Amino acid sequence: MTGVITVSQLNNFIRQIISAEEYLQYITVSGEVFSISVVNNNAFITLADKDAQIACTQFGVNPQNLPKKGDRVLVTGGLSYYAKSGKMTFIARKTELAGSGVLLQKFDELKKKLQAEGLFDENRKKTIPKYAKKIVVVTSVSGAVIRDIVTTVRRKNPVIDISVIDARVQGETAYTDIINGLDFADELNADAVILARGGGSLEDLLPFFDERVVRKVASMKTPIISAIGHETDFSLCDFAADLRAPTPTAAGEAVAYDYYETIDTINRFVNKISAHFQREINAKSQNLNHLINSILLKSYNKIDADLSKVKNIVNVCNYALNNKILIFSHVFDKTIDLINANNPMNMIKKGLYKIERNNTPLASLKNIKANDLISIFSCEGKATATIKNVELKKEL
């Protein structure tokens, strides 16, 4: 940044630098309480050593647990720069007497070591499933922690399967119980694991600063939530876990989806889909009815047109048929008249005779000889005669 800048630009630039420095957001500072005051349960402390001072603010304190002026203390928190006034303040999350300073230094060194190895990297952390079916809680079954978690989960969700693995969470050998419990939990095919214990002093939380426990938390196959102590308490397991819950109750909130809200959402979604499909069905039915009516109307019109054509064809056929019948009747009558005119019986009735010889009709006198026996037929009957003589006309 070059050239002339305003005070606001400078202060904002300083604030951005301080906010971007991860180390400054969680550190422990030792010093002596130079002055202290409490306003509305917020403590304002001036922390000093022989060469410097820094203003500290801690919110939501219990005045009875605060140190006195002149006490050597360890203040854990991070730097905050207020750009408007240009003031630097150390926001304290926890203030305690300096008896545990050596431990904190040791833990800070271990934190830097593990952080350098990438155990705390955000990109290696797994996502906690939104709709967990089974969770496993590793904690002491004799404490209030498990009751808080179960009560919180059951208030939101009656169907999630909750398994509990009992483990000592305090004492020199507690780390073995915790590691064994996490090993067992990792083989249960759960959706999430919660490692939890209630609040306490730094000495009470020592198992959760143990390097073996921290490495086990970081190597879990199952997504894991760390819920160690109260909101202001931090352990190294918090940094290694996939999610840090400020309290065990918050861990229950984080792992349990709201069953009742989900059912309501599903029902609303189903009703919305049902209504949509009903509208689609009604629209399709209406279109189908219009199509059917249109087809029927066109069919009726077509039938009427075709029926009219058929009627015309029938009329033409009837007319033609009647003409044919008249013609055939006339021809038939002519034919009958011709047949009747040429009917031998009719001719016989008019005085003509039919002559047969040996049951064979004779049409010419040339076929008759003297002494032939012939039969003569008339309308009155039959006569038999013998031919005495045949006289033929001379040919012209």
Side-chain angles (χ1 to χ4, degrees), residues 36-336:
I36 183 170
S37 62
V38 179
V39 179
N40 296 328
N41 291 328
N42 299 321
F44 300 92
I45 303 171
T46 300
L47 191 64
D49 60 19
K50 65 179 182 177
D51 297 318
Q53 294 182 351
I54 189 169
C56 301
T57 302
Q58 185 171 350
F59 301 104
V61 298
N62 183 348
Q64 296 180 351
N65 296 332
L66 289 175
K68 303 181 297 296
K69 181 178 179 179
D71 284 344
R72 297 286 301 173
V73 294
L74 297 174
V75 182
T76 301
L79 284 178
S80 175
Y81 185 78
Y82 189 49
K84 189 171 184 179
S85 62
K87 291 183 178 179
M88 182 86 69
T89 304
F90 190 86
I91 304 300
R93 297 187 180 93
K94 181 169 61 175
T95 302
E96 56 187 344
L97 296 178
S100 53
V102 177
L103 281 176
L104 286 174
Q105 183 178 359
K106 177 182 176 182
F107 296 151
D108 190 52
E109 291 173 357
L110 178 58
K111 177 186 175 185
K112 291 177 181 178
K113 171 188 171 182
L114 298 178
Q115 190 169 25
E117 293 181 19
L119 262 68
F120 303 155
D121 289 351
E122 291 296 325
N123 56 14
R124 56 156 291 278
K125 296 189 177 185
K126 299 175 286 296
T127 302
I128 305 301
K130 186 175 181 179
Y131 297 101
K133 297 178 182 178
K134 179 179 181 180
I135 63 172
V136 179
V137 183
V138 179
T139 190
S140 173
V141 296
S142 61
V145 168
I146 187 59
R147 292 194 299 273
D148 292 343
I149 293 176
V150 171
T151 299
T152 302
V153 171
R154 287 291 176 251
R155 185 174 63 250
K156 297 175 62 179
N157 192 307
V159 299
I160 290 179
D161 182 7
I162 305 174
S163 299
V164 182
I165 298 176
D166 187 21
R168 288 176 297 165
V169 291
Q170 186 172 330
E172 292 184 3
T173 59
Y175 73 92
T176 58
D177 267 20
I178 296 171
I179 292 174
N180 291 336
L182 292 176
D183 280 334
F184 185 33
D186 218 12
E187 300 300 323
L188 295 180
N189 295 320
D191 296 299
V193 173
I194 299 176
L195 176 61
R197 74 145 285 155
S201 65
L202 179 62
E203 287 75 12
D204 294 335
L205 303 179
L206 285 179
F208 302 96
F209 288 87
D210 189 288
E211 182 175 355
R212 292 160 292 188
V213 175
V214 177
R215 290 188 180 277
K216 179 58 195 174
V217 169
S219 67
M220 290 284 287
K221 298 179 295 184
T222 310
I224 182 169
I225 301 173
S226 175
I228 310 302
H230 298 304
E231 187 168 355
T232 56
D233 295 322
F234 274 83
S235 72
L236 294 184
C237 285
D238 293 334
F239 298 100
D242 297 308
L243 178 67
R244 184 247 175 186
T247 63
T249 299
E253 291 282 353
V255 80
Y257 67 93
D258 194 322
Y259 172 84
Y260 306 102
E261 181 180 338
T262 302
I263 292 297
D264 288 342
T265 301
I266 292 173
N267 287 335
R268 288 196 301 270
F269 185 66
V270 169
N271 291 336
K272 185 176 180 181
I273 292 177
S274 178
H276 172 73
F277 276 109
Q278 190 60 51
R279 288 193 298 270
E280 287 292 319
I281 290 171
N282 292 339
K284 297 296 183 184
S285 297
Q286 188 174 8
N287 292 337
L288 182 60
N289 288 332
H290 288 328
L291 180 60
I292 291 173
N293 292 333
S294 177
I295 292 173
L296 289 176
L297 180 60
K298 291 180 180 179
S299 299
Y300 292 150
N301 292 337
K302 181 68 174 174
I303 291 171
D304 289 342
D306 291 344
L307 185 59
S308 178
K309 291 179 181 180
V310 170
K311 287 181 179 179
N312 291 334
I313 293 172
V314 169
N315 291 334
V316 171
C317 290
N318 284 335
Y319 179 77
L321 182 61
N322 288 332
N323 286 339
K324 288 288 185 182
I325 291 172
L326 289 174
I327 294 172
F328 288 150
S329 295
H330 181 70
V331 172
F332 181 75
D333 290 342
K334 291 285 187 180
T335 304
I336 293 300

Side-chain angles (χ1 to χ4, degrees), residues 320-375:
L321 182 61
N322 288 332
N323 286 339
K324 288 288 185 182
I325 291 172
L326 289 174
I327 294 172
F328 288 150
S329 295
H330 181 70
V331 172
F332 181 75
D333 290 342
K334 291 285 187 180
T335 304
I336 293 300
D337 290 342
L338 183 60
I339 290 171
N340 288 333
N342 293 286
N343 188 342
M345 293 303 295
N346 289 335
M347 295 176 69
I348 289 172
K349 288 180 181 179
K350 294 179 179 179
L352 299 177
Y353 295 90
K354 178 183 178 183
I355 300 173
E356 290 183 356
R357 185 185 62 188
N358 297 327
N359 295 326
T360 300
L362 294 174
S364 174
L365 291 178
K366 294 178 180 180
N367 297 326
I368 303 175
K369 299 176 180 179
N371 298 320
D372 283 345
L373 183 65
I374 63 173
S375 297

